[in-house]
Amino acid sequence: MQTLTPSFSTALHFIGGQLHDSPTRFDVIDPATGLAFQTAPDATQAQLNQAVVAAKQALPAWRDLGYEKRGEQLRAFASRLREQAPTLATLLTQEQGKPIARAREEFERSAMLVDGITRLAIDSELLREDARGRATLHHRPLGVVGAITPWNTPIVLAVSKIVQALYTGNTLVLKPSPYAPLATLNLGVLAKDLFPPGVLNIIAGGTDLGSWLTRHPDIAKISFTGSVRTGKAVMVACADTLKRFTLELGGNDAAIVLDDVDVEKIAPQIFWAAFGNSGQVCMAIKRLYVQRKAYEPLVAALARIASQVQVGPGADASSELGPLQNRAQFEYVRGILDDTRRSGARLFEGGQRLPDSGYFIAPAIVADALEGMRVVDEEAFGPVLPMLAFDDVSDAVRRANDTTFGLGSSVWSSDLDRAEEIANQLSAGTTWINSHMGVEPGVPFGGIKQSGMGVEYAVQGLKGYMEPHVIKTPAHDLQASH
């Protein structure tokens, strides 16, 4: 691998192996100040077409390269992610808001995903071999994939789509969120001399670009991570050309805590599973059901942590939680908190706007919450945790499942057999026991109900980037070949 001397001074599109500007650029806001600090290029429809043409031209050679060679190039890309993490993490923090240590971790997690996914084997399968002949199942790349990523964990989600699409032999056109496009655009700088031109293309823009991408006739699949509302629009847009799609959408994840837990032990784990990245994680705990005996002790323990956590600009090394990423999300969370104050629930700790400039809200513990309140029924996607008491476990399971979402869930208990029994009753794509959150390269992740369609990661996720191809050979031809 050649030594790279990157230049991250100006964010540019990465199209056909080259960096490109656009006739117009848009502001990128620092959520710690609420002020613009840099601009990003706003792609034209012609630039999207240019990226798709480049991806189509690169497809045959990349497809034919094979898993081993593609994996080697992707792992070289992972090495670049690790090398440049200190520089790009600073940029990620400024555009996204998360503490600098968490930004560095995001690059490391991304590199680990690449390393893990490129070690997975997608083998052909012998379906039958008998007197009729032989039938085998193969998996072929779809073609040019379009990917759309959100603003909460931009690098992990961009890199996960890059590695899955490219490792399976597709080429890619990636669109990051316009709220946090800069670090993702600079992945093109890292990739510039690694992949053949056109294999990876990264272009920035707003709603129009997303619409052009999802409706483009030469895009074979869309991989989208984001809100339910936008996911439904993506699904409709894919219908005209029968595009394949994977949708990883929102969640209103429930955690069920039984009364046999060690409250002081689990409280920090639950707090960070709810408030990490200021609650801006699709699979974070969003509703906490606690059995009556453990309820008040856990309320008090979580409130104590919330009162002590350091909230501030991500660039400050002492900050443990940063701001909300954008003004729209900030105002949405404030609206939910205003409704909560009027609802009769106890805002036990936090919830106030902090005096700093920017989009800061103190982490809020909401006790005595009930279904029917916005704070329970809607996904706040912010630093707010409603806590609901229960007596009967079957009632808690029913309430946890009574939602249109179905991304993640968790059960907390010192009795693993009991916890597994409850976990099997929960309607979610993933249920954790005595933990919550986290993805692995070899374990599929996705949602049910309105939390998504399809899965990412593992062999199951990789096959979502491929088309099944059955080959049948008659018995007499097999005999003749021998």
Side-chain angles (χ1 to χ4, degrees):
M1 183 174 66
Q2 296 177 355
T3 301
L4 178 74
T5 305
S7 173
F8 304 128
S9 57
T10 302
L12 298 169
H13 307 301
F14 184 57
I15 301 173
Q18 299 297 321
L19 300 172
H20 296 262
D21 206 346
S22 283
T24 60
R25 297 176 69 89
F26 58 89
D27 288 339
V28 180
I29 306 299
D30 180 345
T33 65
L35 302 174
F37 75 99
Q38 200 177 123
T39 63
D42 194 359
T44 65
Q45 192 164 10
Q47 286 180 312
L48 169 63
N49 292 336
Q50 183 184 357
V52 174
V53 167
K56 284 183 66 177
Q57 291 174 343
L59 178 64
W62 182 253
R63 177 192 60 210
D64 295 342
L65 195 59
Y67 291 107
E68 184 177 350
K69 293 293 185 183
R70 294 194 297 261
E72 287 175 1
Q73 293 186 35
L74 283 160
R75 287 189 292 275
F77 178 62
S79 295
R80 292 267 175 88
L81 290 172
R82 290 186 171 100
E83 290 168 6
Q84 301 303 324
T87 301
L88 284 177
T90 301
L91 182 59
L92 178 59
T93 287
Q94 192 165 11
E95 66 176 340
Q96 200 282 331
K98 64 183 59 182
I100 187 68
R102 304 290 82 78
R104 293 191 191 104
E105 285 177 5
E106 186 164 339
F107 282 89
E108 178 57 33
R109 292 205 325 271
S110 300
M112 289 174 62
L113 282 174
V114 174
D115 290 343
I117 287 170
T118 57
R119 304 297 184 186
L120 298 174
I122 307 169
D123 298 319
S124 299
E125 302 169 42
L126 178 63
L127 302 178
R128 66 167 171 81
E129 188 166 23
D130 52 26
R132 295 169 293 170
R134 181 171 64 210
T136 54
L137 174 62
H138 306 265
H139 301 277
R140 312 296 190 201
L142 287 164
V144 180
V145 172
I148 303 174
T149 53
W151 43 258
N152 59 327
T153 51
I155 298 302
V156 162
L157 291 168
V159 170
S160 72
K161 296 181 191 303
I162 290 170
V163 63
Q164 290 178 99
L166 269 55
Y167 182 56
T168 49
N170 303 280
T171 53
L172 183 67
V173 179
L174 170 68
K175 174 197 172 299
S177 166
Y179 286 115
L182 301 177
T184 304
L185 283 171
N186 276 298
L187 297 180
V189 178
L190 300 188
K192 194 170 184 296
D193 66 337
L194 287 179
F195 304 125
V199 167
L200 172 63
N201 306 272
I202 307 173
I203 55 177
T207 303
D208 286 346
L209 179 58
S211 178
W212 299 332
L213 181 65
T214 54
R215 295 182 184 279
H216 199 290
D218 291 329
I219 298 286
K221 171 188 169 124
I222 295 291
S223 177
F224 172 80
T225 302
S227 70
V228 173
R229 179 179 57 83
T230 306
K232 290 177 179 179
V234 168
M235 191 174 178
V236 170
C238 289
D240 283 346
T241 53
L242 287 181
K243 284 181 177 59
R244 279 51 177 160
F245 54 82
T246 300
L247 305 176
E248 199 265 278
L249 309 178
N252 199 9
D253 287 16
I256 296 177
V257 179
L258 304 188
D259 60 10
D260 61 0
V261 296
D262 180 336
V263 167
E264 294 301 319
K265 178 181 177 181
I266 70 166
Q269 296 170 264
I270 287 178
F271 181 88
W272 289 109
F275 290 98
N277 202 24
S278 296
Q280 300 168 119
V281 181
C282 58
M283 67 186 89
I285 296 174
K286 311 269 181 26
R287 296 174 292 148
L288 186 61
Y289 292 87
V290 186
Q291 203 161 16
R292 189 78 58 182
K293 179 182 173 184
Y295 185 78
E296 290 297 343
L298 188 53
V299 168
L302 291 173
R304 184 172 63 252
I305 298 170
S307 69
Q308 296 170 352
V309 74
Q310 296 295 309
V311 181
D316 186 336
S318 66
S319 296
E320 297 172 280
L321 292 177
L324 277 294
Q325 199 280 325
N326 58 77
R327 177 171 289 281
Q329 190 62 27
F330 174 69
E331 297 297 349
Y332 176 71
V333 173
R334 291 183 72 194
I336 286 181
L337 286 166
D338 287 343
D339 283 357
T340 300
R341 293 182 180 97
R342 295 189 291 265
S343 69
R346 273 189 294 157
L347 195 56
F348 200 89
E349 175 64 42
Q352 70 273 23
R353 178 177 184 174
L354 297 177
D356 308 63
S357 60
Y359 310 138
F360 294 94
I361 294 176
I365 304 297
V366 179
D368 302 338
L370 295 169
E371 288 84 0
M373 298 177 181
R374 285 185 68 196
V375 72
V376 175
D377 294 351
E378 298 182 23
E379 181 190 19
F381 213 69
V384 183
L385 179 62
M387 299 183 63
L388 304 91
F390 71 88
D391 295 299
D392 181 67
V393 172
S394 61
D395 178 59
V397 170
R398 178 190 61 79
R399 294 161 68 188
N401 287 340
D402 188 18
T403 175
T404 59
F405 295 99
L407 190 59
S409 60
S410 59
V411 181
W412 301 74
S413 172
S414 62
D415 185 336
L416 289 184
D417 291 336
R418 189 180 180 204
E420 288 187 10
E421 181 183 348
I422 296 167
N424 277 308
Q425 300 173 52
L426 291 172
S427 298
T430 299
T431 299
W432 292 269
I433 293 175
N434 293 335
S435 66
H436 195 110
M437 286 210 298
V439 296
E440 303 172 47
V443 179
F445 180 79
I448 63 172
K449 297 191 275 191
Q450 292 191 31
S451 284
M453 298 185 71
V455 297
E456 302 275 19
Y457 311 118
V459 171
Q460 293 91 334
L462 293 176
K463 287 180 178 178
Y465 288 80
M466 308 183 84
E467 203 77 271
H469 182 201
V470 174
I471 297 178
K472 290 185 174 182
T473 307
H476 61 77
D477 288 340
L478 288 173
Q479 292 165 1
S481 69
H482 293 297

